[in-house]
Amino acid sequence: MSNCNYSWFKFRMYVACLKCGTKIPLQSLEGAPHCNDCGETSESSWEELCSIADIKDLRKGNGSNKSVYAVMQIALNTEPIDEIACYHCKNKIDLHEDLIQQKSCDCPSCNEKLNFETISSYNDFTFYRYINQKMDPAQLKTVIAVHCAACGAPMKKDPGKINYHCDFCGVENILPIALRQKRVLDDIFAGVQEKIILPEKLLEVNELQKIIACLKGNKKEAFAANSLNTVMLKFPDNLQVYHIIVNDLKHTFPNEVFEKLWETSKSAVFLKIIGQKLNKSESEITKRIKKFDKNYKQQEQTSKKEEKGFFDSLKKIFE
């Protein structure tokens, strides 16, 4: 059942290697940061480092750019985005599944499987890895022939690692730049989950924001007959609810709903829309608005006074 919304952020996190200072980018939450330059592996896991970086601020919906000096030097940059995309077909995807529970879902466009990661310290966060460069499995298994810089012993090593240990003399070697396997970094996205009410529970809720989230997170077919009409009548002054139901869900209100809204709404802007739907004249719309909108009356009175003053001035000029 689709009952989740997500606020997505581009999530860039780097830590500095404790041994050589090289920046290590977050590419997966599994395991701990490993430096390809010197071979050092952090004692702190990526999950622990996320907790230290205090990423709970994402729940407020704001991005950040900060540095944290703790067990490791951490640089974190987060930027709010509207939605994520499938790295298989490149199409934008709007997901409402419980990705934290499922940990995977199929792309709505190409049906390819997409995987999501979670961390125990933030049970409402999910992480998505957009793979920028798909590696050929054969390429991943490739080894290259190198020689130890100290003793000259021949070895076969992984070109994806920058340092390599000589099994003969014990010297740590650095793989020349020309021989290193180059790889484009993947983009990491963090999603903050918000549970939304199910469509069948829509009429049991009175909180406007929860109702709006439910309307945005589901298709028209998910709602019971007449429930959208009832919701609109519950909030007769709310243009946002009206636009979501009419423009996003493509629902058409029957005339009897507009008639009830005409009687109950106290929004001048909304009454003009309703009046047009009911083929009301301008004078009828104005008369209806005047029943409750004091500002509308004052504005009209001010306008009439200004108009009278203008014509009085003209009259004096031509006398």
Side-chain angles (χ1 to χ4, degrees), residues 297-312:
K297 287 182 180 179
Q298 291 172 358
Q299 184 179 0
E300 187 179 48
Q301 289 170 357
T302 302
S303 178
K304 284 184 177 179
K305 285 181 181 179
E306 290 176 350
E307 186 178 351
K308 185 178 183 300
F310 174 74
F311 284 111
D312 287 345

Side-chain angles (χ1 to χ4, degrees), residues 228-229 232 241-242 245-246 251-258 261:
L228 296 177
N229 297 337
M232 190 67 255
V241 172
Y242 175 79
I245 294 176
V246 172
H251 177 70
T252 302
F253 291 113
N255 265 11
E256 52 264 33
V257 171
F258 283 119
L261 291 171

Side-chain angles (χ1 to χ4, degrees), residues 157-222:
K157 295 295 178 180
D158 181 357
K161 296 182 178 180
I162 294 176
N163 67 297
Y164 61 97
H165 180 80
C166 178
D167 298 328
F168 295 91
C169 69
V171 169
E172 289 292 329
N173 290 261
I174 301 296
L175 191 68
I177 294 176
L179 297 178
R180 296 175 189 174
Q181 191 178 67
K182 297 178 178 62
R183 189 173 189 278
V184 178
L185 289 178
D186 296 331
D187 293 320
I188 305 297
F189 298 92
V192 182
Q193 185 190 79
E194 177 192 4
K195 288 287 182 74
I196 59 178
I197 56 175
L198 298 173
E200 56 266 30
K201 302 288 185 181
L202 182 65
L203 300 182
E204 300 176 14
V205 179
N206 292 316
E207 295 178 54
L208 178 60
Q209 292 308 314
K210 289 186 177 181
I211 289 174
I212 288 174
C214 180
L215 293 173
K216 286 183 174 181
N218 292 279
K219 295 181 179 180
K220 180 182 176 180
E221 296 75 24

Side-chain angles (χ1 to χ4, degrees), residues 75-302:
L76 178 66
N77 177 270
T78 56
E79 177 187 347
I81 58 171
D82 293 331
E83 53 195 352
I84 57 175
C86 170
Y87 63 83
H88 296 285
C89 65
K90 314 303 181 188
N91 287 324
K92 300 291 184 181
I93 47 178
D94 186 18
L95 302 173
H96 298 284
E97 291 86 348
D98 190 343
L99 302 173
I100 295 172
Q101 185 70 28
Q102 297 175 192
K103 293 185 172 56
S104 68
C105 71
D106 294 334
C107 171
S109 298
C110 67
N111 293 321
E112 289 286 347
K113 186 177 181 180
L114 303 173
N115 294 311
F116 296 83
E117 293 182 288
T118 58
I119 51 178
S120 58
S121 49
Y122 293 90
N123 57 15
D124 56 341
F125 281 49
T126 186
F127 294 83
Y128 170 62
R129 180 179 177 182
Y130 184 96
I131 300 175
N132 286 310
Q133 181 185 25
K134 294 182 181 179
M135 299 295 288
D136 186 345
Q139 187 180 3
L140 293 173
K141 296 178 182 178
T142 300
V143 294
I144 57 173
V146 292
H147 290 82
C148 174
C151 69
M155 294 173 286
K156 290 184 178 180
K157 295 295 178 180
D158 181 357
K161 296 182 178 180
I162 294 176
N163 67 297
Y164 61 97
H165 180 80
C166 178
D167 298 328
F168 295 91
C169 69
V171 169
E172 289 292 329
N173 290 261
I174 301 296
L175 191 68
I177 294 176
L179 297 178
R180 296 175 189 174
Q181 191 178 67
K182 297 178 178 62
R183 189 173 189 278
V184 178
L185 289 178
D186 296 331
D187 293 320
I188 305 297
F189 298 92
V192 182
Q193 185 190 79
E194 177 192 4
K195 288 287 182 74
I196 59 178
I197 56 175
L198 298 173
E200 56 266 30
K201 302 288 185 181
L202 182 65
L203 300 182
E204 300 176 14
V205 179
N206 292 316
E207 295 178 54
L208 178 60
Q209 292 308 314
K210 289 186 177 181
I211 289 174
I212 288 174
C214 180
L215 293 173
K216 286 183 174 181
N218 292 279
K219 295 181 179 180
K220 180 182 176 180
E221 296 75 24
F223 297 96
N226 206 44
S227 63
L228 296 177
N229 297 337
T230 305
V231 168
M232 190 67 255
L233 292 172
K234 186 185 287 189
F235 299 98
D237 303 322
N238 197 293
L239 278 171
Q240 185 180 10
V241 172
Y242 175 79
H243 283 303
I244 293 171
I245 294 176
V246 172
N247 298 330
D248 297 345
L249 296 177
K250 308 299 181 186
H251 177 70
T252 302
F253 291 113
N255 265 11
E256 52 264 33
V257 171
F258 283 119
E259 291 286 358
K260 290 178 181 178
L261 291 171
W262 176 257
E263 296 299 325
T264 56
S265 180
K266 293 183 179 180
S267 165
V269 176
F270 199 14
L271 281 170
K272 289 179 181 179
I273 295 173
I274 299 167
Q276 291 173 356
K277 295 290 184 181
L278 295 174
N279 296 318
K280 301 287 186 181
S281 66
E282 285 294 328
S283 59
E284 287 178 304
I285 294 173
T286 301
K287 184 178 179 181
R288 173 68 183 86
I289 295 173
K290 281 183 178 181
K291 287 183 178 180
F292 66 88
D293 194 336
K294 294 180 181 179
N295 292 330
Y296 192 86
K297 287 182 180 179
Q298 291 172 358
Q299 184 179 0
E300 187 179 48
Q301 289 170 357
T302 302

